[in-house]
Amino acid sequence: MSDFLKTSSYDFTLPQELIATTPAVPADSAKLLVYNRANNTITHTIFKNILDFLPQDLTIFLNDTKVIKARVFGKKATGANIELLLNKPLFMDRFLVLIKGKVKIGTTLTFDEKLKAKVLELNEDGTRVVEFYLDNKKLDFISLIEILNKIGHIPLPPYMQREDTKDDEKNYQTLFAKNYGAVAAPTASLHFTSELLEELEKKYGLNYLTLHVGAGTFKPVDVEDILSHPMHSEYFEISIDCKTKIDKAKNILAVGTTVTRTLEFYARKNMICGECDLFLNPSNKPIIVNHLLTNFHLPKSTLIMLVASFIGLEKTLEIYNEAIKNNYRFYSYGDAMLII
């Protein structure tokens, strides 16, 4: 038996060719592995058939966050190249960012469209706090988004090992993306076609909440004991209507890890907006979410630990091995898994 509190227990070897760098076309032709806990069976199918496996009485929740073109390339006053990744807005029109290249407090960075960023703080975890300016006028979040939409790049996860293309602007965004704020897509939702969403809406009704996925979602756990991991926090919002649906729901399907964390954070804290820093793992199991739809995640990540909070570490690794054996595609553009 592996120790579910040890980070090393969540490691597995993935052949490089199983890392998806482009999505399945059409989206619902992706593979779907269905794990049924009631009879401990694994079924291999395709995403298009998902309705065949969902229970009758179900309340479905999705994340309507929208990915920002958060990656921009610019220069320092010295002429040296710099790359900046917007992570999230803070108070007073300040922003948390990651910067590739050396900067000091007071450094000004210049980008296209006359956009400038001034470095205000250097944090120990490698993040930086900046303010953005246009013609000496400090920018708020909405104004910044408008400029980033012109000059920014879709922040594809580093493991794709390629530059973003025009196609990614559509592919790395859910069909129902609405509220700008994420630097990574809620990828379990990328498998839906408009026809499939329509069918689900008709049969179950669909409910939307918002959690702005941050760069921390890709951060591997690098401490020996998982409970020592400093969990990243992400801003979330649940509407009053959505809250009512959660309170009444008997049987919940969370589409993705971000939805799961938001619902479970609400169940514990009774908050409908704020910063969600919930870390689900086998020692902190879900209390209201019964079913999970998700992709296949990175080794030693908080996301694979979240899957293990539903079905345990041994079963998670068994399913991952089964997926590898059957050539499932992994990570953001990869195939899906449904736990019922």
Side-chain angles (χ1 to χ4, degrees), residues 51 60 194-206:
L51 271 95
I60 301 176
S194 45
E195 293 79 19
L196 203 46
L197 284 170
E198 220 171 280
E199 280 184 66
L200 284 164
E201 177 67 72
K202 209 155 51 178
K203 185 169 179 188
Y204 296 104
L206 297 174

Side-chain angles (χ1 to χ4, degrees), residues 176-276:
F176 43 81
K178 186 177 161 195
N179 301 306
Y180 274 118
V183 299
T187 55
S189 293
L190 296 180
H191 303 290
F192 290 108
T193 57
S194 45
E195 293 79 19
L196 203 46
L197 284 170
E198 220 171 280
E199 280 184 66
L200 284 164
E201 177 67 72
K202 209 155 51 178
K203 185 169 179 188
Y204 296 104
L206 297 174
N207 306 285
Y208 298 92
L209 49 79
T210 307
L211 180 130
H212 293 315
V213 195
T217 192
F218 299 118
K219 193 174 169 7
V221 178
D222 51 15
V223 287
E224 200 177 319
D225 181 320
I226 67 170
L227 300 184
S228 305
H229 176 68
M231 189 62 182
H232 59 284
S233 76
E234 294 158 318
Y235 181 78
F236 77 96
E237 217 166 288
I238 296 169
S239 68
I240 297 300
D241 183 45
C242 186
K243 175 194 179 321
T244 308
K245 293 282 173 46
I246 301 168
D247 294 342
K248 283 183 180 164
K250 301 275 186 293
N251 210 6
I252 288 178
L253 169 67
V255 178
T257 57
T258 59
V259 173
T260 306
R261 289 179 56 238
T262 308
L263 292 170
E264 291 293 331
F265 189 77
Y266 165 73
R268 288 158 172 76
K269 305 279 187 185
N270 201 26
M271 286 167 59
I272 58 169
C273 67
E275 291 284 326
C276 170

Side-chain angles (χ1 to χ4, degrees), residues 117-227:
K118 186 178 177 188
V119 179
L120 304 177
E121 292 172 39
L122 310 176
N123 296 329
E124 277 180 22
D125 64 359
T127 57
R128 310 293 184 229
V129 177
V130 303
E131 286 174 337
F132 286 98
Y133 291 88
L134 189 64
D135 299 328
N136 297 323
K137 180 177 176 285
K138 191 158 67 150
L139 296 176
D140 61 16
F141 183 56
I142 302 300
S143 311
L144 177 62
I145 294 293
E146 282 173 20
I147 297 172
L148 291 182
N149 275 339
K150 290 181 196 165
I151 67 169
H153 293 258
I154 290 285
L156 291 181
Y159 51 69
M160 285 194 195
Q161 295 185 348
R162 68 172 177 83
E163 292 302 312
D164 63 308
T165 67
K166 202 79 185 136
D167 286 346
D168 294 309
E169 292 181 21
K170 182 165 136 286
N171 294 336
Y172 199 62
Q173 199 79 274
T174 65
L175 293 177
F176 43 81
K178 186 177 161 195
N179 301 306
Y180 274 118
V183 299
T187 55
S189 293
L190 296 180
H191 303 290
F192 290 108
T193 57
S194 45
E195 293 79 19
L196 203 46
L197 284 170
E198 220 171 280
E199 280 184 66
L200 284 164
E201 177 67 72
K202 209 155 51 178
K203 185 169 179 188
Y204 296 104
L206 297 174
N207 306 285
Y208 298 92
L209 49 79
T210 307
L211 180 130
H212 293 315
V213 195
T217 192
F218 299 118
K219 193 174 169 7
V221 178
D222 51 15
V223 287
E224 200 177 319
D225 181 320
I226 67 170
L227 300 184

